[in-house]
Amino acid sequence: MNAVLSSFTGQNRALVGAAGALIIYALFFASSYDQRILTLAGIYVIMVLGYQFIFGHAGALSLAQGAFFGVGAYVTGILASQFGTGFILTFPLSIAGASVLALIVAVPVLRLASHYFALATLALSQLLLLIAVNWVSVTGGANGLPGVPPITIGDWQIARGLPLLAFVWALAVAAMLFARWQLTPLRVAVFTVMRETPLAVPAFGIDPGLLRLRAFLLSAAFGGAAGALFVHTNRVVSPETLGFGIMITCLTMTVVGGRFGILGAVIGALLLTHLPEWFRGLDEYYLVAVGILLLAMVVFAPDGLASFIKPARKSSAAPAEPRITQHATPVPDGQPVLEISNLSKRYGGIQALDRVGLSIDAGEIVGLIGPNGAGKTTLANIVTGIARADTGAIGSADFDLKTATPTAIARRGVARTFQTPQLPDGLAVHATVATAAAHIGGAKDSGARAAAALATCGLTDIADARCGTLPHGLRRRVEIARALAGDPHILVLDEPAAGLAPAEQAEVADILRSLAATGLAILVIDHNIDFLRPLATRLACLDAGRLIADGPLEEVLADAAVRDAYFGLVQA
Ligand code: ATP
C-alpha cells in the first residue's frame, strides 16, 4: 500500500488532478461549443502522443504527421460517406492505412539525415495533398466529401456533445496507456542513446534501424486514428485534413506541451485548441498575441510546459560486487583473441592504414602509439565495424570482424570506448550501462550485470547521477563500465587517459590491469607513455598507416624508427 502511495507522486498526481478538473468542467460548465473544442483537444492528444514517438523519442523531425492524420481522415471519410462502412471497420482501417503508408515510405526516408528526412516527409504530405485535391472522383476534390455519418457501433450511435467527447477521450486514455506500455524504461533509455550519442549506438549493442521504424509506424498509427476521429467530429473530409496547418498545429502542441510523456501531449493539445478561443476578443491582434505567448513559452520552457512537473526519481542500482569474469564468445586456448593481417584503408588520397598486422592474446594489454594522423583511431574503428577495411582480414575466434555490422561486433564481445566519451547526458549512469548490458548480454539480469560493471570501475556511488553532470574523469570510467557491461573478450580503448589527472590515470590503469588479469584482451591507444609504461605488456607503433614496431615496451621505445617517427613529436 505504501509503495502504491509513494509512487503516486509528481507527474501522476498532477495528471489525476488535471483529469478531475477537466471532467468537472466538461460535465458542468462547458457549453456544447466548449465540448466540441474539448473533443478536438482529445483528438489532438492522440495525434501528439504518436508524434512524440518519432519527434521526441527518436529525435527525428518528421513533417509527415499531418499526412498520416489526413490518410486516416480520408480512409474513414470515403468508406463511411460513400459505402456506409461502420466505425468498427473504418477506425482500424484508418490506422492500418496510415501505418502501411509509413511502412512504404520508411525504407527510402528513414535512412536520411535530419534535414533531408524533414524535407522528404514534407514532400510526402504535399504529394498526398495534390492527390486529394485532384482525384475528384474518389476524394471529392477541393470541396471534399460531406455526409460522414456519426460514429455508430452496432445499434449505439454516439451523438455530438458529451457522448462524443467522452468517447474521444476514452480513446485518448487508451492511446495514453498504449504509449506508456510501448515506452518501457529500457526503450526510453535506448531512444535517449540514439538521440544523444548516435556515434556510440552500436557500442551499446543497439540496432537503431528497427527502433526508428517502430517510432515512425507508431506515429503513423496514432496519426491515422486521430484523423479518423476528426472526420466523425466534423462530418466532412476535405483537403484541410492533409494541409500543412494540421502538421504545424501538431508540432506546436508537441513543442509547447513537451516532446515526451502523456502530460506533455495533454497540456499541448488542450492549450493550443483553447488559445484561439481565449484570444478571440482581440480581433485582428489575436495572431500577434498567440505568437508572443508561444514565443515566451518556447523561450522559458524549452522542454515544454510538462517539464515543470518532474516525475519522482527512483534509485535504480542495487549495490553489487565487482564481477567481470565471463567473456562473450570465449576463444580457444592458444589462439589470439584478435588477429589482424594485411589490413589497409584509404581515405581519398590518404593511406590511413597500410598492410597492418597485429594480434592480441587473452590477458594481454597492448599499447598502440603513433603520431597524430598515424591511423590509430582508424584501426579502432575498423576493429569495431564503424569503418570498413579495403583489404586484409580481422578475425576473433573464427568470427569475421571485417564484414560484420558494428552492432553484431559489439554483441560478439568486442567492446570499445571513444576518444571523446560518448555518453547520453540525459540518462543516469546505471541506466546507461544497463542499456548496453541488456542489448549485448540479454535483458535477463542486465541491471545486476550493469551494477557489477559499475562496481568494477568504482562507480557504484554515482549510479544514479546523470551522465551529463559528471566530470571528465568519471565520464571516461563510465564508458569503460559501459564497455564491460556485455562481458566482452576484447576491449579497445581510444585514448582513455586523455584529459585525466595523474591520479585519475592511475585509477584507470588499475581497472584495466584487473580486467586483463581475468583474461580480457585490451588494446589501448594513447599518446601518454607515462600512462602506458606501467600498464602495457606490449607496445605497437603506427606511422603514416604502417606498423613500424611491435614488441616489448622498452624495446619498442628504444627502436630508432619509433624514436624518429614518434618522439620527435611527443615528450616521453
Ligand atoms: P590522432 O592521434 O590525431 O587521433 P590517429 O592516429 O587516430 O590520429 P586517424 O584518426 O586514424 O589517426 O587518421 C588517420 C588518417 O586518416 C588521417 O590523415 C585522417 O585525416 C584520415 N582520416 C581518418 N578518418 C577519416 C575520414 N572519415 N575521412 C577522411 N579521412 C580520414
Side-chain angles (χ1 to χ4, degrees):
M1 184 66 182
N2 276 348
V4 174
L5 283 177
S6 63
S7 71
F8 191 67
T9 54
Q11 206 165 18
N12 284 348
R13 202 183 293 161
L15 204 58
V16 172
L22 206 63
I23 291 169
I24 292 169
Y25 166 69
L27 284 176
F28 302 111
F29 299 102
S31 66
S32 59
Y33 181 76
D34 296 334
Q35 286 172 349
R36 189 184 134 70
I37 300 294
L38 273 178
T39 306
L40 282 179
I43 291 169
Y44 280 121
V45 166
I46 297 172
M47 189 185 193
V48 173
L49 278 171
Y51 193 54
Q52 285 179 337
F53 280 107
I54 187 73
F55 178 65
H57 293 283
L61 176 58
S62 164
L63 295 176
Q65 193 68 356
F68 298 140
F69 183 91
V71 167
Y74 268 98
V75 169
T76 287
I78 294 168
L79 290 176
S81 70
Q82 306 300 298
F83 303 98
T85 315
F87 182 79
I88 287 292
L89 215 54
T90 55
F91 189 61
L93 283 176
S94 286
I95 294 173
S99 306
V100 168
L101 176 69
L103 198 60
I104 293 167
V105 295
V107 178
V109 160
L110 273 182
R111 296 160 187 269
L112 298 174
S114 58
H115 41 292
Y116 294 111
F117 175 71
L119 280 178
T121 49
L122 176 63
L124 171 73
S125 311
Q126 295 307 300
L127 188 68
L128 289 178
L129 183 61
L130 276 177
I131 293 172
V133 172
N134 291 297
W135 198 9
V136 181
S137 60
V138 174
T139 63
N143 295 327
L145 296 168
V148 178
I151 295 172
T152 308
I153 300 171
D155 292 336
W156 179 38
Q157 193 180 82
I158 298 165
R160 274 180 171 154
L162 212 48
L164 183 59
L165 169 62
F167 184 78
V168 163
W169 275 90
L171 285 180
V173 170
M176 292 173 200
L177 295 176
F178 184 77
R180 183 163 261 196
W181 173 65
Q182 281 293 313
L183 292 166
T184 58
L186 179 60
R187 209 166 276 152
V188 170
V190 171
F191 277 130
T192 310
V193 169
M194 280 171 55
R195 273 196 322 274
E196 298 189 7
T197 57
L199 185 65
V201 164
F204 280 82
I206 295 167
D207 186 346
L210 279 178
L211 269 153
R212 262 190 133 192
L213 177 64
R214 178 194 287 264
F216 198 50
L217 290 182
L218 283 169
S219 74
F222 279 60
L229 294 172
F230 186 77
V231 288
H232 278 299
T233 309
N234 276 10
R235 302 278 175 88
V236 59
V237 60
S238 70
E240 181 212 346
T241 58
L242 277 163
F244 200 50
I246 297 268
M247 181 64 244
I248 291 296
T249 303
C250 176
L251 182 62
T252 315
M253 286 173 173
T254 313
V255 170
V256 169
R259 284 175 296 149
F260 314 101
I262 292 168
L263 206 54
V266 173
I267 292 174
L270 280 174
L271 199 66
L272 268 289
T273 45
H274 283 85
L275 269 188
E277 309 308 319
W278 295 336
F279 289 163
R280 199 170 286 284
L282 296 178
D283 297 331
E284 67 265 36
Y285 300 111
Y286 148 73
L287 275 180
V288 177
V290 171
I292 291 172
L293 195 70
L294 290 183
L295 203 61
M297 282 185 198
V298 172
V299 169
F300 295 111
D303 292 329
L305 292 173
S307 64
F308 290 126
I309 303 160
K310 298 263 182 249
R313 290 198 65 193
K314 290 183 225 136
S315 170
S316 50
E321 293 298 314
R323 181 201 59 88
I324 303 292
T325 48
Q326 292 175 337
H327 302 304
T329 328
V331 177
D333 281 349
Q335 265 192 34
V337 181
L338 178 67
E339 198 155 20
I340 298 170
S341 58
N342 227 11
L343 201 73
S344 293
K345 173 74 182 173
R346 176 175 276 279
Y347 288 113
I350 296 167
Q351 190 70 45
L353 291 176
D354 188 4
R355 289 161 291 159
V356 171
L358 188 71
S359 72
I360 307 178
D361 292 334
E364 262 198 308
I365 302 178
V366 176
L368 182 63
I369 60 169
N372 291 118
K376 305 181 295 296
T377 298
T378 302
L379 187 67
N381 286 344
I382 289 177
V383 169
T384 52
I386 288 178
R388 290 271 174 232
D390 299 331
T391 55
I394 333 162
S396 173
D398 299 328
F399 179 60
D400 182 9
L401 298 174
K402 192 171 162 224
T403 49
T405 64
T407 307
I409 290 172
R411 288 180 181 166
R412 284 293 291 243
V414 182
R416 75 169 292 173
T417 64
F418 292 84
Q419 208 164 355
T420 306
Q422 299 289 314
L423 296 172
D425 286 351
L427 269 193
V429 167
H430 180 265
T432 302
V433 178
T435 303
H439 284 83
I440 296 177
K444 190 168 174 285
D445 298 335
S446 56
R449 278 181 283 128
L454 290 178
T456 301
C457 296
L459 297 169
T460 303
D461 289 349
I462 58 152
D464 288 328
R466 277 179 189 268
C467 292
T469 63
L470 299 180
H472 184 68
L474 287 178
R475 287 174 73 82
R476 288 235 177 260
R477 277 204 267 155
V478 174
E479 262 223 312
I480 296 174
R482 189 220 43 220
L484 297 177
D487 286 341
H489 61 272
I490 303 170
L491 179 57
V492 179
L493 301 123
D494 198 350
E495 303 200 18
L500 300 192
E504 292 173 321
Q505 289 177 14
E507 283 168 1
V508 169
D510 281 345
I511 294 166
L512 297 182
R513 260 192 299 270
S514 71
L515 293 170
T518 70
L520 190 65
I522 301 177
L523 178 66
V524 189
I525 297 170
D526 220 300
H527 288 290
N528 188 335
I529 301 298
D530 288 339
F531 173 66
L532 289 176
R533 184 170 264 127
L535 180 67
T537 45
R538 238 173 74 209
L539 200 62
C541 182
L542 277 173
D543 179 33
R546 283 181 307 109
L547 193 75
I548 57 169
D550 177 7
L553 186 131
E554 293 303 340
E555 273 179 33
V556 169
L557 291 179
D559 186 286
V562 172
R563 297 193 75 79
D564 185 35
Y566 194 56
F567 294 114
L569 300 170
V570 175
Q571 293 285 312

